[in-house]
């Protein structure tokens, strides 16, 4: 037998035939390289393992990429949609009664479920049930082909469009052309337009006719965060649902369920802090929770704690908030400054510090009206809030709020927020223990009612009044009554007589007078004419010299000066001025009209 040779004439080494792959192995290797590892061929003969296979081994399957919590826990059923019970009830009744609108508009702040609701409505309208025989339902099965395809975003009859990137008439024209054709496989052809307020005015106008009278197989679902930018013509053609902000307690419960699903331990206070920071948005809250879980993992404990959330978000510590308010109410300025400095060193912004104090005062006020513990997170905080609510009056709390609000505005616009925050809190500290105006009035009335206290406005002992000169012995005519009669007939002349005329002699039919310095004298003829017109009698009027009685205005001012002096000598007022040396007594003019002469005081004064 001749030994086999290769193409170059060299004899083959038969001892290595066992290492040469067979034809079946070569084919299997090629199939594996193209399509993965197939099942071994039944007819392939057994052979020893090859030390160096010709084809590379198939790579391991790639790990599923991480999905953020906001996407992973997007609600897939209406029962999982939290905080929107009124809308779900309305849709359920509409489906049961077969009264479905042709266009729905979902509005609300970011992250409350507008787009998720639109997808749920699409599933509810197109669900056919696990057996393929079902109809529209508020509880879509999630198992049929339409439900699965819509959830995965690949259903051919559910078209989602982002109006922020498709704003023109051409984009709307494509919709108008496509609505004429029936749905391919679903019950309804549904158009979900997100951020619909971004459409141009011409695009809205082009859509109006189709939106008002669409084919029976077409439904429009709009979502927007700025509903006020939509034309009224569009709003009138849609059934509108205003999605509400999610309350913080409900958000905290939802986050607790998410943490349980993820297997992450989290303290309730930390979840409450995240819920408050979310401001009613589920998506914002889940994003913060995602960050908090990562932050907790970096800490090595794997637990979401309030301290970590506070450090991550830069929030003021709840305990420090209470200590700061306690320092304000106790008037402890050094402790207040130390707390502010310590929080600033930890990275807490001064504006956040003022805002936290305002929130705490608001919670105390709410607890005072009967909502005890509604916003408190821990038992310790609830006890502190209830204690302050019982200790402080409503007036003090409202004054604290106004002072903190003013301080908040000052810190926001100040060139140095830290200094502005310190000065604002010190101002609140010094004004915290002042009595409110109602308490002050009651104290004044109580002291004024005691014997020995001079009444405000009372005449000083002796009954005398300051005057510009000694009055005549007797005046036969009531000068003030006479001036009042003149004012009834000639207000301008009466005002001149009241302001500056000093009586030297006054008898029936005779008036001798002088005018106060600094005032332009009124001619005697005009005075006589005014008197005769007011009294109907003849008068002799002439200017003169000598001792005169003060004018009526000067007499009134003298009485007021005496009253103010008497008030200033009152013990309570003396005590108030001792505490507040720079205080002033401010009186409100309650005179009913021009008869007092106050309004016409400058009527005849010279420049």
């Amino acid at each position: 037998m001749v030994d086999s040779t290769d193409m170059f004439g060299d004899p083959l080494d038969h001892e290595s035939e066992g290492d040469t792959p067979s034809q079946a192995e070569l084919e299997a290797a090629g199939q594996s390289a193209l399509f993965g590892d197939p099942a071994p061929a039944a007819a392939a003969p057994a052979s020893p393992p090859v030390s160096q296979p010709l084809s590379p081994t198939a790579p391991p399957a790639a790990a599923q990429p991480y999905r953020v919590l906001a996407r992973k826990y997007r609600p897939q059923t209406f029962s999982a949609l939290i905080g929107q019970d009124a809308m779900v009830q309305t849709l359920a009744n509409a489906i049961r009664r077969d009264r479905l609108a042709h266009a729905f508009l979902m509005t609300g702040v970011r992250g409350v479920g507008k787009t998720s609701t639109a997808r749920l409505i699409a599933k509810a309208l197109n669900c056919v049930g696990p057996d393929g025989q079902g109809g529209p339902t508020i509880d879509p099965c999630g198992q049929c082909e339409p439900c699965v395809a819509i959830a995965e975003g690949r259903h051919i009859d559910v078209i989602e469009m982002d109006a922020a990137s498709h704003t023109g008439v051409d984009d709307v024209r494509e919709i108008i052309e496509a609505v004429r054709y029936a749905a391919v496989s679903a019950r309804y052809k549904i158009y979900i337009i997100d951020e619909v307020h971004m459409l141009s005015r011409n695009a809205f106008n082009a859509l109006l006719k189709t939106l008002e009278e669409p084919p029976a197989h077409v439904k429009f679902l709009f979502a927007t965060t700025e509903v006020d930018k939509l034309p009224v013509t569009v709003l009138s053609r849609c059934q509108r649902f205003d999605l509400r902000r999610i309350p913080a307690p409900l958000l905290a419960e939802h986050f607790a369920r998410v943490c349980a699903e993820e297997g992450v331990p989290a303290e309730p206070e930390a979840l409450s802090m995240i819920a408050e920071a979310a401001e009613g948005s589920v998506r914002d809250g889940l994003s913060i929770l995602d960050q908090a879980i990562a932050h907790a993992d970096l800490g090595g404990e794997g637990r979401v704690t309030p301290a970590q959330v506070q450090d991550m978000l830069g929030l003021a510590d709840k305990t420090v908030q209470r200590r700061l308010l306690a320092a304000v109410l106790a008037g402890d300025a050094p402790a207040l400054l130390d707390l502010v400095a310590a929080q600033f060193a930890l990275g807490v912004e001064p504006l956040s510090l003022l805002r936290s104090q305002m929130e705490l005062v608001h919670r105390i006020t709410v607890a005072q009206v009967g909502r005890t513990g509604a916003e408190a997170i821990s038992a310790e905080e609830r006890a502190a809030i209830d204690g302050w609510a019982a200790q402080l009056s409503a007036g003090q709390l409202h004054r604290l709020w106004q002072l903190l609000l003013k301080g908040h505005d000052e810190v926001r616009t100040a060139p140095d927020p830290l200094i502005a925050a310190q000065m604002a809190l010190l101002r609140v500290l010094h004004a915290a223990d002042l009595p409110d105006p109602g308490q002050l009035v009651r104290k004044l009335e109580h002291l004024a009612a005691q014997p020995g206290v001079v009444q405000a406005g009372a005449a000083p002992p002796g009954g005398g009044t300051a005057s510009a000169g000694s009055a005549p012995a007797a005046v036969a005519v009531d000068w003030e009554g006479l001036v009042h009669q003149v004012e009834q007939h000639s207000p301008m002349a009466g005002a001149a007589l009241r302001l500056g005329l000093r009586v030297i002699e006054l008898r029936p039919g005779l008036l001798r007078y002088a005018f106060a310095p600094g005032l332009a004298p009124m001619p005697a003829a005009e005075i006589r004419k005014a008197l005769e017109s007011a009294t109907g009698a003849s008068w002799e009027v002439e200017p003169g010299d000598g001792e005169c009685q003060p004018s009526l205005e000067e007499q009134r001012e003298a009485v007021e000066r005496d009253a103010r002096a008497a008030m200033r000598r009152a013990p309570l007022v003396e005590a108030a001025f001792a505490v507040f040396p720079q205080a002033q007594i401010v009186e409100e003019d309650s005179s009913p009209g021009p008869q007092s002469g106050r309004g016409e005081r400058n009527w005849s004064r010279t420049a």
Side-chain angles (χ1 to χ4, degrees):
M1 181 176 180
V2 181
D3 292 336
S4 301
T5 59
D6 60 11
M7 62 182 297
F8 299 104
D10 296 330
L12 293 173
D13 187 6
H14 290 284
E15 293 180 357
S16 62
E17 285 183 357
D19 296 336
T20 303
S22 64
Q23 183 66 27
E25 291 174 335
L26 288 175
E27 184 177 354
Q31 294 288 333
S32 176
L34 290 175
F35 309 108
D37 248 347
S47 60
V50 181
S51 58
Q52 294 181 352
L54 297 179
S55 63
T57 58
Q64 183 72 19
Y66 175 71
R67 299 178 67 196
V68 295
L69 298 181
R71 294 187 59 192
K72 184 176 181 180
Y73 291 95
R74 184 186 291 270
Q76 299 299 323
T77 61
F78 280 104
S79 59
L81 188 67
I82 62 173
Q84 311 299 340
D85 298 338
M87 180 196 66
V88 174
Q89 182 65 35
T90 302
L91 289 173
N93 293 340
I95 291 174
R96 294 190 188 100
R97 298 176 182 178
D98 195 17
R99 301 179 63 89
L100 290 169
H102 60 271
F104 297 91
L105 173 64
M106 272 67 69
T107 71
V109 299
R110 80 267 176 221
V112 293
K114 299 183 295 296
T115 307
S116 298
T117 301
R119 293 175 181 173
L120 289 177
I121 294 175
K123 291 170 63 175
L125 297 182
N126 286 327
C127 178
V128 296
D131 56 356
Q133 303 299 320
T137 175
I138 196 63
D139 296 314
C141 65
Q143 302 174 9
C144 61
E145 175 58 25
C147 287
V148 175
I150 293 173
E152 295 177 357
R154 57 178 176 82
H155 200 290
I156 192 173
D157 292 321
V158 178
I159 301 96
E160 291 194 30
M161 187 183 85
D162 178 21
S165 56
H166 301 79
T167 61
V169 177
D170 293 337
D171 302 302
V172 174
R173 187 179 292 115
E174 294 180 5
I175 298 177
I176 297 173
E177 294 294 332
V179 297
R180 296 183 299 176
Y181 303 101
V184 176
S185 61
R187 185 179 296 110
Y188 294 102
K189 179 181 285 189
I190 295 178
Y191 289 90
I192 300 176
I193 304 180
D194 203 3
E195 300 301 333
V196 68
H197 67 274
M198 299 294 289
L199 290 178
S200 64
R201 183 185 64 178
N202 293 335
F204 274 123
N205 291 336
L207 186 61
L208 286 181
K209 183 63 177 176
T210 304
L211 184 61
E212 183 175 9
E213 298 177 355
H217 60 272
V218 175
K219 302 291 183 183
F220 289 98
L221 304 178
F222 299 146
T224 179
T225 55
E226 301 182 33
V227 67
D228 56 323
K229 293 185 178 180
L230 266 67
V232 179
T233 51
V234 173
L235 295 176
S236 64
R237 289 166 167 83
C238 300
Q239 192 171 102
R240 174 174 170 177
F241 294 105
D242 291 294
L243 276 67
R244 303 174 181 176
R245 291 180 183 267
I246 312 302
L250 189 58
L251 274 179
E253 295 177 4
H254 180 63
F255 297 157
R257 290 192 295 269
V258 171
C259 288
E261 291 287 338
E262 293 291 313
V264 176
E267 297 184 13
E269 185 173 354
L271 296 180
S272 298
M273 294 172 66
I274 295 175
E276 289 184 0
E279 297 180 350
S281 171
V282 182
R283 183 173 61 238
D284 288 6
L286 288 175
S287 299
I288 297 174
L289 180 61
D290 224 337
Q291 184 180 357
I293 292 174
H295 189 77
D297 289 340
L298 290 176
E301 299 178 358
R303 174 181 291 273
V304 179
T305 63
Q308 291 171 337
V309 174
Q310 173 211 340
D311 181 60
M312 182 186 70
L313 298 179
L315 301 175
D317 188 3
K318 297 292 184 182
T319 304
V320 177
Q321 290 181 22
R322 297 192 293 271
R323 289 171 56 195
L324 187 59
L325 183 60
V328 169
L329 296 176
D332 192 349
L336 183 146
L337 295 177
D338 291 342
L339 288 171
V340 173
Q343 289 295 289
F344 185 76
L346 291 175
V348 179
E349 293 295 329
L351 197 64
S352 176
L353 204 62
L354 267 294
R355 190 182 299 114
S356 66
Q357 291 298 293
M358 294 173 63
E359 292 175 357
L360 187 54
V361 171
H362 169 259
R363 291 178 177 178
I364 297 172
T365 307
V366 171
Q368 196 177 63
V369 297
R371 300 288 296 275
T372 306
E375 296 293 336
I377 296 174
S378 62
E380 181 183 0
E381 181 178 2
R382 188 177 299 110
I385 288 176
D386 291 343
W388 278 322
Q391 175 186 354
L392 300 174
S393 65
Q396 288 177 302
L397 289 173
H398 288 294
R399 186 166 59 252
L400 283 173
W401 171 263
Q402 292 295 332
L403 292 170
L404 289 171
L405 182 61
K406 181 175 177 58
H408 179 274
D409 295 338
E410 293 175 355
V411 172
R412 184 173 53 187
T413 58
D416 192 331
L418 176 61
I419 294 177
Q422 290 174 341
M423 295 301 295
L425 289 173
L426 287 174
R427 182 173 62 222
V428 177
L429 180 145
H430 290 115
D433 57 349
L434 292 179
D436 60 74
Q439 292 178 343
L440 188 59
V441 169
R442 287 191 292 271
K443 288 183 179 179
L444 290 174
E445 291 176 348
H446 175 70
L447 291 175
Q450 296 179 358
V453 178
V454 179
Q455 297 289 335
T465 60
S467 62
S470 301
V475 177
V477 179
D478 180 11
W479 172 240
E480 185 172 3
L482 186 59
V483 171
H484 181 67
Q485 291 181 1
V486 173
E487 288 175 334
Q488 299 298 321
H489 290 78
S490 177
M492 298 294 289
L497 299 181
R498 180 179 294 276
L499 285 173
L501 191 142
R502 296 175 174 176
V503 176
I504 298 176
E505 182 180 1
L506 179 62
R507 297 197 305 269
L510 174 63
L511 171 63
R512 293 180 64 245
Y513 66 92
F515 264 88
L519 296 177
M522 185 177 179
E526 293 186 9
I527 298 176
R528 181 175 61 253
K529 181 179 179 181
L531 292 175
E532 290 178 351
S533 175
T535 61
S538 298
W539 281 86
E540 181 181 350
V541 179
E542 59 182 19
D545 297 323
E547 295 182 354
C548 57
Q549 180 180 352
S551 67
L552 295 177
E553 179 64 16
E554 290 172 335
Q555 295 179 26
R556 187 191 62 79
E557 291 178 350
V559 171
E560 289 184 354
R561 285 195 301 271
D562 293 341
R564 284 195 296 269
M567 179 186 298
R568 183 64 177 79
R569 291 192 299 269
L572 182 60
V573 179
E574 292 287 350
F577 272 96
V579 178
F580 305 101
Q582 303 298 325
Q584 295 181 357
I585 299 178
V586 179
E587 297 182 4
E588 182 180 0
D589 181 20
S590 59
S591 53
Q595 295 180 0
S596 64
R598 182 180 295 269
E600 293 78 12
R601 181 172 298 176
N602 297 325
W603 177 81
S604 60
R605 289 189 183 275
T606 57

